[in-house]
Amino acid sequence: MPQPHRPTRPARPPQPQRARRGGGPARHRADRPRWGVRLAAGLAVAVLGSGAIGHAVMTGLDTGIERVDPFKDMKNRPQAGHGLNFLLVGTDGRDKITPQDKREYRLGGAPCHCTDTVMLVHLSANRQRASVVSLPRDSYAELPAHRDDSSGKQHGPHAVKLNAAYAEGGPQLTVRTVENMTRVKIDHYLEVDFSSFMKTVDAMGGVEICTAKALHDQNTGLDLLPGTHRLSGGQALQYVRSRHVDGAADLGRMQRQQRFVAALVKQATGGGVLLNPVKFKEVSSTLLGSVRADRGFGSEQMLALGQALRDFTPASSEFASVPIGNASYPVKGIGSTVKWDEPKAAQLFEALRQDRPLAPAAPGRGQVQAQEQGQPGRRAQQQPAVPVDVPPQQIRVQVENGTRIDGLGGRVDTALRATGFDTTRAPVGGASRDVKRTVIAYDPRWDRSARTVSTALPGSELRAVAGQGRTVLVIAGADYRKVVPVRPEDPYQGQFGVVTGDQVVCGR
């Protein structure tokens, strides 16, 4: 149920946001940034762009990639499924950041020899879908027997947090551990540090994101008002790192990362990057200059994938996180870990092996039925859905007809329900039949819900009514013309909490 909160500042016209300057205190280990978004960004740019350019441009781009052999001497691996699976990991690489950027984007502290995020990216066999699954860095994991990369000491199987696999055994132990946990066979390994992320976003001309509420984080320096913003590389890094924006913490950060990756795909596929050989080579060279990859991944593979993914769009991508059973599972000598919900996790990874989509089908999102225009049985022309803070599905609405126009209450109820609101489906006549301007009456404790309804009914009057309860009352006035489609900013769906890229980009 939506909770009361203080109102945010009103939106201002879209404009680039400048990060606040000023160094911050060194961050503790727990505050180090997550890496899923940077890795997914690398994959998107590398594989989506190649098909639009041609072999001549691609040739030589992979010469700067540092090679690793994560599959050496591996035995008892999972059986290969359908499609192609990438394991994407990242190290922070803050030792490569300039002192000025460290101060401006608050990147204090020393780099660690570990992974901040591990992600599985599955490309479907028909190359029409990419499924991105985040594996929390603090996931409870059991490492197989191995030799420690740093000390050379032989270790038997033991429990750790997932990110420690890289610290103890590098890429090979990380791949072995993830394959043991998921039973998904890894085809390719990619590793990126975040200095290249900043440079790549800048090379693309920035990335556009939108937010329905103000975002402020003193730790990272993030400072965005509601609206649409084009972020530079450093600002994008602040956006995906921030976890002190609200009480959602890591969940909120994951949602912002998903929106950013979807926006990056949209920029790459629709912003001219893929169709401009000079721009593509600039972006790809910037990215690939600091990538570590397995020996089997190079320009030929990128070209083949790109040719198959020429029609890839944000709607082709879906994002999920492993279902969690216990977010604070204590382990002696390790501390608090994230314990997966094993039955649900097994279902998710089985879907990847079987090359099935994770997101449920949701036809007709963002459309308002033409009944609101008096044309039953037909669809109104689709228009972009406006992002809102509270999902309309969580808002109960009662509609009253405040005019003498027959059937107006029913049309408003139908239109609100078509864009997702939980209407009563039983509109009633209002006490007054001379209402000129549509009124939204709400309990002040549910002001966020009222603002979502107000977004769907532009020009309406907000009227606080103490003690009204959670149901929002809409009194339709003579000024009513239509309902504007709205969508939740964080539209989680289905048993795996999956969101698709087209649900979270701007101007959908």
Side-chain angles (χ1 to χ4, degrees):
M1 180 182 300
Q3 297 298 316
H5 84 311
R6 293 178 300 173
T8 59
R9 285 180 279 174
R12 65 186 179 190
Q15 57 181 316
Q17 288 288 312
R18 184 67 177 168
R20 291 177 176 173
R21 290 182 175 272
R27 294 186 296 112
H28 296 290
R29 184 185 188 93
D31 287 326
R32 290 193 174 115
R34 305 293 191 195
W35 276 101
V37 64
R38 294 174 276 288
L39 302 171
L43 177 72
V45 176
V47 303
L48 298 182
S50 52
I53 305 302
H55 188 275
V57 175
M58 293 301 298
T59 299
L61 280 182
D62 60 345
T63 56
I65 300 177
E66 183 180 347
R67 296 296 178 181
V68 296
D69 190 2
F71 310 119
K72 182 180 179 180
D73 300 327
M74 288 186 61
K75 301 176 182 178
N76 301 318
R77 301 186 67 192
Q79 183 177 356
H82 305 284
L84 197 63
N85 299 310
F86 291 79
L87 182 64
L88 306 178
V89 305
T91 55
D92 62 23
R94 70 186 65 204
D95 53 327
K96 302 177 183 178
I97 303 296
T98 66
Q100 179 181 350
D101 283 346
K102 282 186 177 181
R103 289 192 301 270
E104 182 165 1
Y105 304 118
R106 305 191 184 182
L107 297 168
C112 68
H113 184 65
C114 62
T115 54
D116 278 325
T117 290
V118 180
M119 297 181 66
L120 273 177
V121 175
H122 172 81
L123 297 180
S124 63
N126 61 11
R127 300 300 187 259
Q128 295 181 5
R129 182 184 69 257
S131 304
V132 182
V133 180
S134 298
L135 312 181
R137 56 166 279 170
D138 292 334
S139 297
Y140 173 85
E142 295 183 1
L143 299 185
H146 65 278
R147 184 179 299 278
D148 191 301
D149 269 1
S150 300
S151 66
K153 181 180 178 181
Q154 187 69 32
H155 291 288
H158 62 280
V160 295
K161 294 182 180 180
L162 179 57
N163 69 329
Y166 186 92
E168 292 193 26
Q172 185 183 43
L173 185 58
T174 301
V175 170
R176 289 178 62 194
T177 303
V178 171
E179 286 193 344
N180 287 348
M181 295 174 72
T182 65
R183 304 311 300 164
V184 173
K185 186 176 182 180
I186 306 302
D187 299 298
H188 291 292
Y189 174 90
L190 294 175
E191 179 185 317
V192 184
D193 68 51
F194 72 64
S195 63
S196 66
F197 166 75
M198 296 171 64
K199 295 176 183 177
T200 300
V201 172
D202 285 335
M204 293 182 67
V207 173
E208 185 180 75
I209 63 96
C210 50
T211 176
K213 56 187 176 184
L215 301 177
H216 306 290
D217 188 333
Q218 293 184 349
N219 287 32
T220 65
L222 180 70
D223 186 12
L224 297 179
L225 292 176
T228 301
H229 312 273
R230 180 165 292 276
L231 304 184
S232 67
Q235 294 164 347
L237 188 62
Q238 292 175 311
Y239 180 77
V240 299
R241 283 178 55 215
S242 294
R243 64 185 299 270
H244 300 289
V245 170
D246 50 34
D250 284 337
L251 176 61
R253 172 160 54 184
M254 182 185 72
Q255 293 168 344
R256 286 185 289 278
Q257 290 175 350
Q258 292 169 345
R259 287 195 289 272
F260 183 84
V261 175
L264 190 72
V265 172
K266 180 181 179 181
Q267 173 79 1
T269 57
V273 173
L274 308 186
L275 301 178
N276 184 330
V278 176
K279 174 63 69 173
F280 173 77
K281 189 163 187 176
E282 177 188 358
V283 171
S284 298
S285 298
T286 300
L287 170 71
L288 298 179
S290 58
V291 166
R292 300 179 76 198
D294 65 273
R295 300 180 186 280
F297 184 78
S299 58
E300 293 293 335
Q301 287 69 36
M302 287 190 286
L303 180 62
L305 286 171
Q307 289 172 336
L309 294 171
R310 282 174 295 184
D311 297 325
F312 204 81
T313 68
S316 309
S317 58
E318 54 183 13
F319 305 88
S321 184
V322 176
I324 304 303
N326 187 342
S328 184
Y329 179 69
V331 179
K332 185 177 180 179
I334 300 175
S336 179
T337 67
V338 175
K339 188 77 164 146
W340 296 356
D341 182 322
E342 296 296 343
K344 289 183 179 180
Q347 293 176 24
L348 183 148
F349 295 123
E350 176 64 17
L352 290 186
R353 286 191 293 271
Q354 296 299 322
D355 201 21
R356 298 196 304 265
L358 304 178
R365 280 193 304 262
Q367 290 185 323
V368 178
Q369 292 184 351
Q371 289 169 314
E372 71 172 284
Q373 304 290 348
Q375 303 174 25
R378 299 177 59 191
R379 291 280 184 184
Q381 182 177 2
Q382 185 175 356
Q383 63 183 108
V386 180
V388 290
D389 188 13
V390 180
Q393 292 82 359
Q394 297 180 12
I395 303 174
R396 185 69 168 170
V397 177
Q398 172 65 58
V399 177
E400 287 186 3
N401 185 355
T403 74
R404 300 182 187 278
I405 303 173
D406 290 340
L408 179 62
R411 294 204 302 275
V412 174
D413 183 286
T414 298
L416 288 170
R417 189 168 66 252
T419 197
F421 289 96
D422 180 23
T423 67
T424 64
R425 302 182 182 229
V428 298
S432 171
R433 291 302 183 98
D434 297 313
V435 176
K436 304 299 183 184
R437 181 184 178 189
T438 299
V439 173
I440 299 173
Y442 67 97
D443 191 308
R445 294 175 296 171
W446 282 274
D447 60 317
R448 293 168 58 212
S449 295
R451 286 197 297 275
T452 291
V453 179
S454 177
T455 300
L457 293 167
S460 56
E461 174 190 345
L462 281 169
R463 184 179 298 172
V465 180
Q468 177 172 297
R470 68 182 296 261
T471 298
V472 176
L473 176 64
V474 172
I475 305 173
D479 66 333
Y480 171 78
R481 294 295 179 269
K482 66 177 182 178
V483 167
V484 172
V486 297
R487 61 176 173 85
E489 191 172 39
D490 303 314
Y492 280 84
Q493 300 183 16
Q495 64 174 326
F496 302 131
V498 181
V499 63
T500 54
D502 62 311
Q503 292 176 286
V504 293
V505 293
C506 300
R508 170 175 163 265

